[in-house]
Amino acid sequence: MKDKDPEYLTTLERGLTVLRSFNKSQPEMQLSEVAAATNLSPAVARRCLNTLVALGYVTRSGKKFLLTPEVLVFGSAFLASASIDSVIGEHLQRVRDETGDSSSISVLSGEDILYLAHIPTNRHIRLNAGVGTRFPAHATSMGKVMLAHLPGDKLDDYLHRAELKRFTDLTVTSPDTLRKQLVEIREKGYCSVLSELDYGLVSIAVPVYDDNGNVLAAINCSTAASRIAQDELVRTRMPLLKQASQQIQHSLNKWPVLLHSLLRL
């Protein structure tokens, strides 16, 4: 589609690709590393980096490039304009208050889930999450719920391109096994995951729909497996999550800006 659109700016795409190449595992990189991470030539990567430095979104220390706090303006503008706290936060907060578990909402972004809101638990867990956090979809309850509702061609595309990385001995890394699991998840209407992203982490997630039955996002409860057994988590948390999902769906109809943003993802 983009190749046929005369209005599509390849230069802008390259600049955004460079920005997105910086992450937790690569917070600072040399030019050669940026070029490798983005599949851009060193000359193109250098021009993108120099432009981003001039605009204030990237800085450099010696031969290393790194993001500046100025990039936060993009995320904060979306959060402010979409009123996520007003539309979603109160429902997640209610789930957290009734269960003591952390509660989150995320959307599918490429091969990852992307957190839009997160209400943390007071208990310590090894994997911290927040707005903007990304985790591989195949190892999370929210990710699997959303993957389970993808149209067949999009699921095929995901399984073809995704790296099903192993995080624990229980992480599902076989495309065939994952596909079978997703069929079961779609039939059940929820997903519970134990020790797939990290040992001792248990979670349950349900989808968030729009009025036409499209899955917009997923919400979850997550806690330590030492605190509650997986079957007990499912029994006690699923009714609360389904209620919160319905409330969020109803609230989204009152906030067309956020609803439209989720529909475009």
Side-chain angles (χ1 to χ4, degrees):
M1 179 66 181
K2 67 184 182 182
D3 296 331
K4 299 178 181 179
D5 187 354
E7 299 295 318
Y8 191 88
L9 292 177
T10 303
T11 51
L12 177 58
E13 177 193 31
R14 291 170 177 170
L16 294 174
T17 299
V18 168
L19 277 179
R20 293 183 59 155
S21 67
F22 294 89
N23 52 46
K24 185 177 181 180
S25 61
Q26 294 178 305
E28 55 182 31
M29 292 183 283
Q30 296 185 26
L31 171 60
S32 60
E33 294 172 312
V34 173
T38 58
N39 292 319
L40 297 173
S41 70
V44 172
R46 183 181 66 252
R47 290 198 296 271
C48 289
L49 286 166
N50 288 339
T51 301
L52 291 168
V53 168
L55 293 173
Y57 298 117
V58 172
T59 188
R60 64 185 306 169
S61 176
K63 295 184 177 181
K64 296 279 190 177
F65 292 89
L66 59 155
L67 299 180
T68 73
E70 189 66 23
V71 298
L72 294 174
V73 70
F74 299 115
S76 61
F78 169 74
L79 293 173
S81 64
S83 303
I84 286 181
D85 284 342
S86 300
V87 181
I88 295 171
E90 63 176 297
H91 305 302
L92 299 180
Q93 183 71 52
R94 189 175 302 114
V95 172
R96 201 293 300 270
D97 291 346
E98 292 192 32
T99 65
D101 307 331
S102 65
S103 187
S104 312
I105 184 169
S106 69
V107 293
L108 199 58
S109 175
E111 290 84 56
D112 300 330
I113 60 170
L114 175 65
Y115 278 63
L116 297 183
H118 175 71
I119 308 298
T121 178
N122 293 326
R123 301 174 179 85
H124 175 72
I125 57 174
R126 287 171 54 183
L127 283 178
N128 293 318
V131 177
T133 296
R134 304 176 76 96
F135 289 126
H138 74 282
T140 67
S141 58
M142 288 190 288
K144 290 185 180 185
V145 157
M146 289 184 282
L147 290 174
H149 289 81
L150 285 179
D153 58 337
K154 291 188 177 181
L155 178 58
D156 290 341
D157 182 56
Y158 165 82
L159 293 173
H160 176 73
R161 71 176 187 271
E163 177 190 1
L164 303 183
K165 181 179 177 181
R166 183 178 299 280
F167 295 94
T168 74
D169 292 341
L170 296 178
T171 308
V172 175
T173 58
S174 164
D176 290 339
T177 301
L178 180 58
R179 187 187 293 274
K180 293 177 182 177
Q181 192 178 66
L182 296 177
V183 171
E184 296 177 0
I185 291 169
R186 184 172 185 131
E187 292 174 350
K188 293 188 299 184
Y190 72 91
C191 174
S192 180
V193 165
L194 172 63
S195 295
E196 288 201 42
L197 186 62
D198 192 18
Y199 288 109
L201 185 66
V202 62
S203 64
I204 177 175
V206 301
V208 176
Y209 299 94
D210 66 10
D211 287 343
N212 295 317
N214 302 307
V215 172
L216 301 174
I219 58 174
N220 82 334
C221 280
S222 181
T223 190
S226 59
R227 178 171 173 257
I228 186 170
Q230 187 177 20
D231 57 351
E232 181 70 5
L233 180 83
V234 171
R235 186 184 68 81
T236 58
R237 275 45 170 180
M238 186 164 58
L240 295 172
L241 285 174
K242 286 191 172 183
Q243 181 182 42
S245 174
Q246 293 171 354
Q247 292 169 335
I248 291 171
Q249 176 183 346
H250 179 71
S251 297
L252 285 172
N253 291 327
K254 301 177 182 179
W255 294 88
V257 171
L258 178 53
L259 178 59
H260 182 70
S261 297
L262 295 178
L263 286 170
R264 292 299 298 265
L265 289 170

